[in-house]
Amino acid sequence: MRISELSRRSGVATATIKYYLREGLLPPGRATAATQAEYGESHVQRLRLIRALIGVRGLTVSAAKDVLDALSEVETDTHDLLGLVFGVWPASGAKDSAAKDEDPDSDSSEVNALLAEMGWTVTEHNPARHVISQTLDTLRSLGMDYDWQKLVPYAQLAEKTAALDLDQLQDPAEPIEKAERAVLLTFLLEPALLALRRLAQEAESTVRYRG
């Protein structure tokens, strides 16, 4: 297809496609003349993933390029592929250099205790570890008696949510399509999941206090 058809199929403006070509996010098409090229279905899929990384996950063009470059190295390993698009693995350097970014003074004992309780195998550099540790510290600094054990029921719910997430990633066979679907289901659904919690809280409050 010509670039105009690629634009129509992908929903990405022609000028933006040319920009992605210049920046190396999108591979060049097959040259048919000095200033013309043809593009295939793989370009449509790639553009959809680029849109998901930049428009949905909120990455910069440079960061999206790093992820796309790294994906080409792990596309046969679904676990590593999902780690990249979920933001678990850093795109530059991937797993090997991830541990170097760790804060050696950070106290992860509570997070480790929670993970052990749940039986979860999780990498040391997953940024969610720091979020949990920091949240527990903040709650206690505000006078709440809160520790990792109180997170266990929430972790059990999260485990079921994760199973639902990955169940929906079984169908796409192509790595690019699987990566795009993972980004959309994760980052677009998160606000809806928070909204569901708020709805459920009101419904539960109605039953308990107005019922």
Side-chain angles (χ1 to χ4, degrees), residues 200-211:
Q201 286 172 336
E202 181 185 353
E204 182 66 17
S205 177
T206 300
V207 171
R208 292 190 182 201
Y209 306 119
R210 292 286 180 84

Side-chain angles (χ1 to χ4, degrees), residues 112 114-123 129 132 151-152 154-160 162:
N112 288 334
L114 175 62
L115 295 174
E117 176 70 20
M118 295 301 299
W120 290 353
T121 300
V122 177
T123 53
R129 284 174 169 268
I132 292 174
L151 289 178
V152 171
Y154 292 99
Q156 292 168 341
L157 294 174
E159 188 172 58
K160 294 179 180 180

Side-chain angles (χ1 to χ4, degrees), residues 30 49 54 56 60 65 78 86 106 122 142 168 187 197:
R30 183 176 65 86
L49 177 56
I54 295 175
V56 176
T60 64
K65 185 178 184 303
T78 299
F86 288 158
S106 63
V122 177
L142 294 173
Q168 297 179 76
F187 294 92
R197 185 186 185 192

Side-chain angles (χ1 to χ4, degrees), residues 73-129:
E73 300 175 8
V74 301
E75 61 182 12
T76 59
D77 187 321
T78 299
H79 180 66
D80 283 355
L81 181 145
L82 294 179
L84 276 170
V85 297
F86 288 158
V88 175
W89 304 124
S92 300
K95 298 186 210 178
D96 295 335
S97 65
K100 297 178 183 178
D101 298 328
E102 286 296 295
D103 180 0
D105 298 325
S106 63
D107 181 10
S108 59
S109 58
E110 284 195 288
V111 178
N112 288 334
L114 175 62
L115 295 174
E117 176 70 20
M118 295 301 299
W120 290 353
T121 300
V122 177
T123 53
E124 289 293 330
H125 59 270
N126 190 316
R129 284 174 169 268

